[in-house]
Structures are given as structure tokens and as C-alpha cells.
Amino acid sequence: MRSSPAKRAKALDLGGLDQSAPGTTPARKKKKAAPDRSLTTSVRALASALDQLGIVSITDLEGRIIHVNDAFLRISQYDRKDLLGETHSILNSGHHPSAFWTSAFEALKKGDTWRAPIKNRAKDGSFYWVDAHVLPLRGPGQRINGFLSFQTDITAAVDLNVAVQDRNALLQAVVDSFPGGLTVFDRDLRIVLINDKQRQLLEYPDELFEHGLPTLEQLYRFNAIRGEYGPGDVEEQVHSRLELIRKGEAQIFERRRPNGTFLEIRGTPLPGGGFAIAHLDVTDRKRDQEMIGRLEHQDALTGLPNRTLFQERVRSGLAQAKGGAALAIHCLDIDRFKTINDTLGPHVGDALLFAVGERLKAELRETDTVARIGGDEFAIVQIGPHSIEEIESLAKRIIAAFSEPFILGENSVSIGTSIGIAVGPSDGNDAEQLLMNADMALYRTKSVGRGTFGFFEHSMHERLQKRHQIIMGLHEALANSKFELHYQPIVNVKTRRIVGCEALIRWSHPVRGLIPASEFIPIAEECGLIGQIGDWVLKRACAEASLWPDDIWVAVNISPAQFRDQDLVEKVTNAAKNMPLSRVILEITETLLMKDRDAASITLERLRKMGVRFSIDDFGTGFSSLSYLQDFPFDKIKIDRSFVSSAANVKRSATLRRSIIQLGYNLGMTSVAEGVETEQQLDRLRAEGCVEAQGFLFSRAVPAAKLRTLFANPL
């Protein structure tokens, strides 16, 4: 089927171009017809002569093909019968715009020869490129009566050119996207490529490139003259660098530019000669490495050496000690730091730690080192003390320095410290051992009395081992429910009948036997197990109390760790799910209330509304404050055993005891006396108005099974 004039104009349709040109009338579509007989003889003669020129076709004036040679058939993949009578639009690839064909028409209309590369489509849909020459064929009177086209296959050349262009574009994209500077030199060390990043990094001025790309030698000389390589002879600097390049060896090194920038330089020899040099700006990386190095050895808050650097200094001091010198490790912490941090805020706590570090540094010699080794703990290595007196002198100076208040903005903070001392190498021949021994000495010193110092003693290892044994045993006991609860009855002083029982934990260690709560509870508090132990006691005590008569309550001691637990309310309600909450009395101390008064008030009020009752334990000892009785909803007030059984100063104890009982009565609180051991003590308490009592007079703390046998009768 014949193609439309529009389609013919977009292909190499010479006759069609004439028909579709402006100002002419396109020829009417005709059915495919045999070539004009008037042209047959001349065409055949011309075709025979031109077939050897390449790809040849001849069209009549209307653009219909009247001859194609075998080369045309091969490249187009059409049969001759398919082409004769058709126009060149049958080969239209759609690649060329209409302006392309318009220019062809204008040239041929004038009778000129027209030449251009053309992209055609073969019969199988593939594309090929030809270099086409088209010229008019003239008849008698120079009248144009057809067109001759001979073409050369340039597909391979075009594909190669496209591939080269693609490769060049890819190479340019790689060069432009390279994160650093890049310069490529040929075998004669002349620049063949340099990206903008390279010129920026090395701050090359435009004048350096005014007369073309400089050589590597010219770049080296320019750098040397402006001091890029530091002081030295310019020619020697240039020569040495060129010699290194000529060896053809790969290079990688770092250099700091005069402006402070750090460059990583990588040189790579190229196959067949030449050299590529890459410059990477590693300033940020170097800065990060330096910062990491500082963080590895420096405390971020105080700027003091950290534990790692401190141990290195101790090891260095021990190495010197082999020659006869010695060293002393002073381990110390800040008294009341947690209270200050909690009450005044972490920002004040941080400021205090920094100020402590500065004050400690002021007491040391240049050869000594102070480090922050964690939290509010500091350590000092005193190098080469000549005597024990010199070691003690430093400890005394530090304690005296801590006695002066610290002014932190608007806050004046008074603190103290205790110091544990270990002397090397007699107390240990490695840094970790010495630090651990000094820490043991600190722990022992604080247990005796704060604000002083003490030396390590080898017997401390035994105490440490016992403490470690207890900690490991506590973990095992928690995991396997190895604790036991005993209950001490609390009686009404008039009827001597049991009204409640205090739950007291007992623990039988598999090696050491029964360990008093006064020994393992403080250790449990220090190692963070007291909360879990307290939860177990609460749950077990409530479970046992649910089996008692309905009028007997159970008292459970609550630790500060439990009280800070946000789930305390839920834990209490779950533990007492089988009994009224009014039968649960939680015993708390004034120390607990001092930690966080507001939070304590909220928690107490929530539990009280649910029916839980409260008892303030050991009232009259420590930092007792009447404000606690006013602010917190206590139901019972427990009188410490020291006011009940004290033999010394009986009159004073009696006065305080009676005052506490009267205070409780006036505030609507039941008074409970602890440590009642004799009938005389009970008679006094009854006469003074005390309501309840507990002690050996009635019963020791007993297991749950024995306790249930005591409920029926007065004690």
C-alpha cells in the first residue's frame, strides 16, 4: 500500500519532497505501478553504470522507486518487488525532524546535490546509517525527471562514534563526581585531565592555566615556591618529587597544607606510562581521629584523664618503681553527691564534678595525675613519695581542700570526701590491682567514719571475698527462691492478743549458714538487688497473710528502691489480690521520705485511697522531723527499741518515749513499741498509753507454720 505524502516527506523520498513542498500540490495517491516506460531505457543504462558505486536507488519525479541495486536490497532487507513503485518513506526511522527533510527539498528544488547522513529502518525493524548523496536526473531541456541516490553504509562508524561519546560522557561524569581532586598525566608527565576540585583544593590560580595545561614539573615548582612543601630548596623539592613519580610506584601519604587542610594523596601508575594523582580532603577525618583519641583517654565532662589513661600512668610509675621508687594510689569520692545532684539538678552536679577536678589538680605536683574514673569517683597517682608521711600529707591536703564550700553559680555547696590509699608495688604490682585495693581501703574508711583516709590492709581481701560471696549467693537465692519469711507478732498491750505481724526475711547461705539481714540487706542495696528482694517479700507475705484470720494484718518493710519503682502501686495490689488492702501495712523510714518528698506524697496518697495503711519505722532516731507526721498519712508510729530498753539515761528515754506516744495519740496514729522484753517494760508502756507492742516477751520471729498456732491465745 502506498505511503502518505507526509510520511514520504520524512524519509529519503525525493519525488515526494517535490510534491509536498510549499506552493506545490501533492500528487494524488496512486496504486503501485510499473516504472514509467519513457525512462526505462535511460534508467537501465544509468543503473548499470552506477551499481558499482555502493547502495544505489533511482526514483521518478514523484519519488517512486524505479530501480534499486543488490546492495540496497541487502542493507534494507527488502525484496526488489517490495520496493519498486514505493517511496523511500518505507525506510522511515522517525529519527529525523521535519526540518531535516525541508532542507533536503530546498536543495533539490534548486537542482543542487544534497548530502547528509540518514538513519533508516530495515524490514526487520533494525536501524542502519548511510551517507547519502542525492542529485537530480535531468532530461531533454534540462528538465528534472527523477533523482539518483547513492549511499555508503556508515553504521559501524556511527556506532563507534556514539560509543566514544558515551564513554567520554561517562568518564567526564566520573571525574566530575569524584569526591576529591584528580589529575591524570601522560607518559611525558603532561596533564591530560584535571578536574575543578583539584584546582580548588590546591588553590591553583587561573593564571597558571592561561597558556594551556601545565606539566607536573611546573605544578611542583609552583607549589614549592609558595611554600606548599615547607621550608627548603625549591629545585631540590621539585627534583625529589619528580624522581619519585618516575619510579612508577604507587604512593599514598598525608600532607598538611599551610592553610591547615589535611590532604590524603594517592598516586597510581597507569598502564603504558602516565600517572594519576588523587587528592582527598581528610581534614574532618583527622579532626575526628584526634577527638576519638582524646575521648579514649580523657573524661568528657572534667577534661581529666579517664580510667584508661590513669592506668597507663600507673603502669609507667610501676616501671619506675623497679628502680627503687614507689607510688601511691589515692581513691576518693564525693560525700552527698547524689543528694546534691537530685535536689539541685544534674547541671549543678556536673559543675561540681568539674570544680572538684580543678581543686584536686591544684593540690598535685606536675609528676602526679588525677583522673575521674567514674561517676563521682576520682583517683590520684602520687609518683615517687619519699615516705608514708608524704602520702598522708597529700591525703590531708585533699580533705582540707574539700572542707571549703564550692561556689557554683548561685549555689554554695558543701561536701566532704574520704580517701582510700594503696601503695605500690607492695600492695600490688599492676594498675588494676592497686586501684582495686585503694577502692577497698576507701570502702572500709567510709564504713568507719567519713572525712578521713585509710590505707589498704591485706585482711580487706577476706572481707571483699565474703562480700562477693554474699552477692553471688543473693543472685542464686533470688533465682531459686531460697529466702524464707519469719513473722514477729505485734500484740495489743491490754489484751496481749495478736493484732498483726511484721514480716522479716531470713536467708540461710549454703556455705556460711544463717546470715543476719543486717549484713546482707546493705549489700543488696549496694548491688541493686534490694528491689527484687523487696518485691519477693511483699508477694510472699501477702500470700501467707491471706490465710490468717481476717482481723490480723501484716506489716512489710518497703525499701527506697521499691518506693521509687513506678509500678509499686500495681505490685501492692497484685500481691494482695486475695485479701483486703486494709490488712496491708507498709513500713517506711524517714530516710525514704527525704529522697523525694513530693513523689513520696503522691505514691502514699494513691495507696492510702485504695485502703493500704502506713507505719513510720524507728521514729525518734536519725533526722526525725515532725513535718513528716503532718505531711504524710501515717496510721502507726513505731517507737524504736532504744527508747524502750535503754538502760542508760532512763529518765531521758522515758521522756522521749512518752512524748512520741502522746504525739501519735494527738495525731490519730497508733503507737507501736519495739523490743519489749520484760513485763516491767510492758507495764510502763501500758501506763503511758502505748497501744501495741512487739518483742521477745511475746515471741521471737517464727516461721509461718508456727505463727498460725499462736493466733488463738494471748501471748
Side-chain angles (χ1 to χ4, degrees), residues 272-294:
F275 214 79
I277 300 179
H279 288 71
L280 298 172
D281 186 346
V282 295
T283 306
D284 291 340
R285 187 180 74 189
K286 294 290 289 185
R287 186 182 299 113
D288 292 343
Q289 288 174 345
E290 291 175 359
M291 181 177 295
I292 291 172
R294 288 195 299 271

Side-chain angles (χ1 to χ4, degrees), residues 114-129:
W114 178 76
R115 180 182 180 182
I118 300 175
K119 184 177 182 180
N120 286 332
R121 183 194 298 271
K123 185 176 182 180
D124 67 353
S126 62
F127 297 104
Y128 63 94
W129 283 85

Side-chain angles (χ1 to χ4, degrees), residues 120 162 180 215 380 409 502 547-548 670 675 692:
N120 286 332
V162 170
T215 63
I380 295 168
E502 181 179 0
L547 305 176
W548 301 345
T670 302
E692 297 171 352

Side-chain angles (χ1 to χ4, degrees), residues 53-54 84 221 224 256 280-281 291 297 299 517-518 521 554 687 702:
L53 295 179
L84 295 179
R221 183 167 284 105
R256 181 173 182 173
L280 298 172
D281 186 346
M291 181 177 295
H297 296 92
D299 175 57
S518 59
I521 290 297
V554 63
V702 296

Side-chain angles (χ1 to χ4, degrees), residues 304-307 310 360 369-373 377-380:
L304 297 176
N306 60 11
R307 179 183 287 266
F310 182 78
L360 288 173
T369 299
V370 57
R372 181 185 177 212
I373 57 177
E377 298 178 44
F378 294 81
I380 295 168

